[in-house]
Amino acid sequence: MKVYTEILPVTGCEIEGEHPLPVFCDIQRDKPSKGDGTLTAEEEDRLGKNTGYRVLPYRMQDKYNRNKRKMYLKTVVLENQYLKAAFLPEYGGRLYSLKNKETGKEILYKNPVFQPANLGIRNAWFSGGVEWNVAQYGHTMYSSSPVFFAEMTGEHGEKFLRMYDFERMKRLFVQLDFHLPEDSKVLYVHVEIINQDKMPKSMYWWSNIAIQSEEKLRVFSGTEDVLYLHPESISDNTNPVRIFGRGKLPYIPTLPGLDSTYPSNADYSNEFFFQNPASPEKCWSAAAYGDGRVFFERSTLPLRYRKMFCWGSHQGGKRWCSYLATAEDGDYVELQAGLAPTQLNGLEIPADTTWKFTQAIGETKFLDADAAYGNDYHSARENVETIVEGALLVAIIEKNNIYFEIMAQKPTEEILSMGTGWGTLERLRTELQGEDFPSHLLFPDSALGKEQYPWYCLLTQGFLPELSPEQAPESWMVDEKFYPLLKESLEKSQGCHYLTWLHLGVMEYERGNRKAGAEAWENSLKLCPSPFTLRNLAWDRRLDGDMDKAVELMKGAVEKEDNGIDKIFSEEYMDLLLENGKFGQAWAYYQKLPEERKKGERLTLQAALAGVELKEYSFVEKVLSREFACIREGDNSLTDLFTRYHVLKKLDEPENTMTLKEAQEYVEKNCIPPKEIDFRMFVKRGGEEKCI
């Protein structure tokens, strides 16, 4: 086997940066979710716990578009005589490609383009390959950020790869060692999640494997018992409450009369979770293809549960697939593997604990291609289980797991691709404060950059350097280890300035101390007015329901920012105006913006949402005919705008006698949104939930 780096030319859109504002966690730390009365006590346990939206200390990656051009991706390759695995070290270490060298074909779904979209926790996310999601509910924080990759040598002289980083939100070290023995037809990933703190942490792990889709694709796992999401619970974006039910494959209530084990049958964005027993023999999933090929993955415990996700065959699902890739090559299905019954069952990793497991990915083939397609799903599932066991014995993966655990303790050798400097900052902090650090992971001093510099200064000199109030901080910090240092710095002349109070307010607020956070921002404002401080206070007043004061403070923030820092200030101001029903004020503000800022996609859409209420129909029509890169999963803004536009136009007709409600019902029945703007995952029609 061999390890090397390679430059991959693709067509795509680069991610060009982050916006500078802190995005605070949901006040409700537990995401609203519940069972429908069919779940067991174990499945209900901790449902929604600690899964509320969180971003800090990370920043949002919202700087990209849909103007594709040639770009170059750095890959790190692990290869033997059977497989070639290519990883993207600058994009979360995603396994981008896994090629079967005997057939020359891809085992995974390999996206033909690189197109970011607003699906990740931090916004920018792209489809395809295998993503390693850790720490917080959702896609991993570093989906589109660099992580460390190193070349390693095993005790038998074989090469393997190590991916690792320091996860800042939960203060976890995450290590993935990729092994591809010379005679292996499967790729192994050995995962270690390290909590060195003296307290438990809320945790999350799901490896998301995208595979090629086809009409005959059928999915399997170690059981026929599943938990499924009621589709209507994913269509409400205003007050979403995720509702789970329990069923048995192949027929579940959310797809009446159709076999749910064929993703092609789903006419909405569908997902269900296999409730595999806590048995090593059952920790697997597979997908059968019409030509007899079988994709499979299996793992050691505790990686027990599996999930199937597909976008669906309805117009909105098809649009998402083409939006993330191309109209011809965008359809894929995800088989995911996790540590909890669903992705909304919160977990905790105990203090001073390392979680370890191994997962293997490969493909095999049925001699009888029909063995996976019988009407008796139970029998078909047993056939697939037999062929998975034949391709990779439980005894083999468990034996290899023991060896991989030993290799995981080897000191990191040659770094092939650098991550960020946050792991280095943590190493320096532990050295100064006499705490433990996983010494086998290499975080060199050279990784430190401008994002870490202020906090390195606080760590070594006892204060943060002051910036101009119109200058964006390079990073945010909510790490509890830096909290006392920041408070102590206020007692020093160099540290008692507006920026220290601003950062302290962010820390307090994210810790749930809203009052202390707002008071810190008030102190910051007294020392020096900053658009960041004004914006944060506007955020706080909005949460209190004082919308007039929130608008006033945000108006001050955009005036202070004066179109010189980032368009996010204007976007948040427009959001407040729209939420407060100030459509005329929002429209007037947009019209006065500099031409370059007015081109911003989200601002343009916000202006259209105001403009439709003011009957600026020509502007709205232009917006509805263009393409957007900023649409978020579950965001129905474009179709809502389309519906509102047609309702108001109907009411404006000279001979109209309809009421608003009647016009709404007429439009919903007769005006289907163009596919280019339809990103709905599920649709309400005629008072009933049904897909179109």
Side-chain angles (χ1 to χ4, degrees):
M1 75 290 298
K2 54 185 176 180
V3 167
Y4 55 96
T5 59
E6 194 170 56
I7 299 300
L8 175 70
V10 298
T11 300
C13 307
E14 294 186 15
I15 301 168
E16 298 176 348
E18 307 167 344
H19 82 57
L21 292 181
V23 176
F24 300 105
C25 65
D26 284 347
I27 294 299
Q28 191 171 4
R29 297 297 178 110
D30 300 340
K31 194 176 184 70
S33 50
K34 63 182 181 179
D36 64 0
T38 63
L39 275 60
T40 67
E42 180 187 10
E43 293 156 353
E44 288 267 15
D45 184 48
R46 298 179 64 82
L47 195 59
K49 190 72 173 177
N50 286 320
T51 58
Y53 186 63
R54 290 181 64 184
V55 177
L56 281 171
Y58 300 94
R59 303 199 306 186
M60 300 298 282
Q61 298 173 303
D62 63 345
K63 308 273 189 281
Y64 56 87
N65 54 45
R66 293 187 61 78
N67 301 320
K68 296 180 183 66
R69 56 184 177 81
K70 179 167 279 192
M71 59 183 291
Y72 299 90
L73 302 177
K74 179 179 181 179
T75 64
V76 178
V77 178
L78 179 62
E79 184 176 5
N80 71 1
Q81 60 179 319
Y82 297 114
L83 297 175
K84 178 182 177 181
F87 301 85
L88 300 179
E90 296 173 329
Y91 295 92
R94 185 175 301 214
L95 175 57
Y96 176 73
S97 164
L98 184 61
K99 180 177 285 189
N100 184 330
K101 293 171 66 176
E102 293 181 301
T103 65
K105 295 181 179 180
E106 288 289 334
I107 293 175
L108 306 172
Y109 167 67
K110 179 183 175 183
N111 196 329
V113 301
F114 183 82
Q115 177 58 65
N118 189 2
L119 278 77
I121 297 177
R122 299 172 62 195
N123 188 321
W125 182 87
F126 58 102
S127 66
V130 185
E131 182 183 24
W132 322 103
N133 298 304
V134 68
Q136 179 63 18
Y137 166 71
H139 298 284
T140 187
M141 291 294 179
Y142 42 73
S143 285
S144 299
S145 295
V147 292
F148 286 90
F149 263 76
E151 179 179 345
M152 302 290 294
T153 305
E155 68 177 30
H156 307 301
E158 78 280 8
K159 297 295 184 181
F160 66 95
L161 279 175
R162 173 168 295 168
M163 165 188 156
Y164 61 100
D165 214 330
F166 175 61
E167 199 291 301
R168 298 176 64 207
M169 178 188 288
K170 303 296 178 66
R171 292 187 40 78
L172 300 167
F173 291 93
V174 182
Q175 174 185 344
L176 283 70
D177 288 354
F178 300 99
H179 294 266
L180 190 54
E182 190 58 50
D183 60 349
S184 177
K185 293 188 177 183
V186 298
L187 173 70
Y188 294 96
V189 52
H190 178 72
V191 179
E192 300 213 350
I193 303 166
I194 307 166
N195 177 19
Q196 294 207 155
D197 288 348
K198 307 302 180 185
M199 64 179 67
K201 306 288 178 66
S202 65
M203 244 294 293
Y204 177 91
W205 175 274
W206 284 83
S207 48
N208 289 11
I209 304 174
I211 59 173
Q212 304 153 29
S213 182
E214 68 167 42
E215 189 73 18
K216 290 194 70 174
L217 181 74
R218 196 179 198 188
V219 298
F220 304 86
S221 191
T223 185
E224 292 146 39
D225 295 321
V226 296
L227 300 187
Y228 57 85
L229 267 171
H230 284 262
E232 64 272 16
S233 75
I234 66 172
S235 66
D236 181 358
N237 299 307
T238 306
N239 298 294
V241 178
R242 301 295 186 245
I243 303 173
F244 291 90
R246 195 176 212 282
K248 194 175 187 69
L249 294 175
Y251 298 101
I252 55 179
T254 50
L255 205 58
L258 294 174
D259 187 331
S260 295
T261 65
Y262 292 92
S264 58
N265 280 339
D267 53 4
Y268 64 93
S269 297
N270 188 20
E271 58 190 83
F272 51 79
F273 299 83
F274 293 93
Q275 300 302 293
N276 292 331
S279 165
E281 290 77 18
K282 301 299 182 180
C283 297
W284 63 272
S285 66
Y289 291 88
D291 61 0
R293 182 167 52 95
V294 179
F295 167 85
F296 74 92
E297 60 78 28
R298 82 178 313 163
S299 67
T300 61
L301 289 167
L303 193 65
R304 166 183 169 187
Y305 299 95
R306 298 300 190 267
K307 171 186 169 181
M308 188 288 301
F309 169 82
C310 65
W311 283 108
S313 60
H314 64 300
Q315 179 170 278
K318 289 180 178 178
R319 178 54 178 144
W320 269 116
C321 289
S322 65
Y323 184 76
L324 291 167
T326 69
E328 297 78 22
D329 303 298
D331 198 10
Y332 66 94
V333 170
E334 284 187 2
L335 289 179
Q336 307 179 13
L339 298 171
T342 76
Q343 289 169 328
L344 282 169
N345 288 85
L347 289 173
E348 277 195 348
I349 183 170
D352 275 328
T353 296
T354 298
W355 281 350
K356 307 175 183 181
F357 51 86
T358 293
Q359 187 174 16
I361 301 171
E363 70 176 0
T364 186
K365 195 172 179 68
F366 270 119
L367 293 178
D368 176 8
D370 294 329
Y373 294 104
N375 291 331
D376 182 346
Y377 181 70
H378 179 76
S379 177
R381 195 201 66 78
E382 288 188 334
N383 290 339
V384 174
E385 188 165 73
T386 298
I387 198 170
V388 169
E389 175 69 8
L392 179 59
L393 296 172
V394 169
I396 295 296
I397 190 173
E398 293 197 331
K399 178 184 176 182
N400 286 337
N401 179 57
I402 294 171
Y403 175 69
F404 299 155
E405 284 190 10
I406 297 170
M407 292 300 97
Q409 299 311 305
K410 287 199 68 174
T412 302
E413 297 171 4
E414 181 184 356
I415 293 178
L416 300 175
S417 193
M418 293 281 277
T420 65
W422 295 109
T424 302
L425 184 70
E426 176 64 5
R427 174 177 61 79
L428 295 171
R429 185 199 64 77
T430 59
E431 290 171 357
L432 287 170
Q433 298 181 353
E435 296 182 14
D436 292 335
F437 188 84
S439 57
H440 67 290
L441 299 180
L442 178 59
F443 293 95
D445 290 351
S446 58
L448 285 175
K450 60 183 181 179
E451 294 88 356
Q452 295 82 40
Y453 172 73
W455 307 104
Y456 177 73
C457 187
L458 176 65
L459 186 63
T460 57
Q461 300 181 42
F463 66 90
L464 287 175
E466 188 172 9
L467 300 174
S468 159
E470 285 78 32
Q471 187 174 348
E474 293 290 352
S475 57
W476 301 105
M477 176 70 77
V478 295
D479 192 324
E480 62 198 31
K481 301 291 185 177
F482 283 84
Y483 177 73
L485 299 178
L486 195 61
K487 292 201 75 171
E488 290 166 11
S489 73
L490 288 167
E491 300 172 7
K492 301 180 179 181
S493 58
Q494 307 103 308
C496 189
H497 51 70
Y498 90 93
L499 185 58
T500 304
W501 283 108
L502 170 61
H503 277 294
L504 182 62
V506 171
M507 278 196 182
E508 294 281 18
Y509 213 81
E510 190 68 6
R511 287 158 61 98
N513 302 327
R514 283 188 55 204
K515 183 178 179 182
E519 287 175 352
W521 293 331
E522 295 286 2
N523 289 335
S524 176
L525 205 58
K526 291 174 185 175
L527 290 173
C528 182
S530 158
F532 292 92
T533 308
L534 289 164
R535 176 269 184 179
N536 290 350
L537 286 168
W539 184 290
D540 181 64
R541 299 301 184 267
R542 175 182 171 274
L543 286 181
D544 278 340
D546 188 350
M547 296 299 291
D548 289 339
K549 186 63 176 178
V551 168
E552 178 189 331
L553 285 163
M554 198 65 210
K555 184 173 185 290
V558 296
E559 289 173 349
K560 189 73 175 170
E561 186 261 350
D562 195 24
N563 301 305
I565 300 176
D566 195 277
K567 62 184 175 61
I568 186 63
F569 282 91
S570 296
E571 292 170 357
E572 289 202 359
Y573 184 44
M574 287 285 281
D575 272 342
L576 273 175
L577 293 173
L578 292 173
E579 188 176 342
N580 216 20
K582 298 181 181 294
F583 304 116
Q585 194 172 334
W587 179 258
Y589 172 73
Y590 175 79
Q591 296 303 319
K592 292 179 181 178
L593 286 173
E595 287 302 315
E596 189 59 33
R597 184 163 288 195
K598 285 169 71 174
K599 294 177 183 177
E601 286 189 0
R602 188 174 163 200
L603 280 165
T604 302
L605 179 53
Q606 289 168 320
L609 292 170
V612 72
E613 303 300 328
L614 303 173
K615 301 187 178 182
E616 297 285 350
Y617 292 147
S618 61
F619 182 86
V620 173
E621 289 162 1
K622 290 179 182 177
V623 169
L624 289 172
S625 66
R626 63 166 289 180
E627 195 169 51
F628 288 86
C630 65
I631 301 303
R632 184 155 185 84
E633 181 181 8
D635 179 2
N636 296 331
S637 296
L638 281 171
T639 46
D640 289 348
L641 176 64
F642 172 87
T643 298
R644 184 65 174 163
Y645 164 75
H646 281 281
V647 167
L648 294 179
K649 290 273 283 186
K650 173 61 67 175
L651 293 175
D652 283 346
E653 291 177 356
E655 299 180 359
N656 172 66
T657 59
M658 291 183 181
T659 64
L660 176 61
K661 181 180 179 181
E662 290 169 339
Q664 182 83 21
E665 292 173 349
Y666 174 86
V667 169
E668 289 180 353
K669 182 178 180 180
N670 295 283
C671 301
I672 303 299
K675 62 182 181 180
E676 290 77 17
I677 68 166
D678 190 352
F679 294 91
R680 292 172 295 178
M681 301 176 76
F682 194 77
V683 180
K684 295 180 179 180
R685 300 285 285 177
E688 295 181 357
E689 305 289 349
K690 68 176 184 179
C691 312
I692 61 170

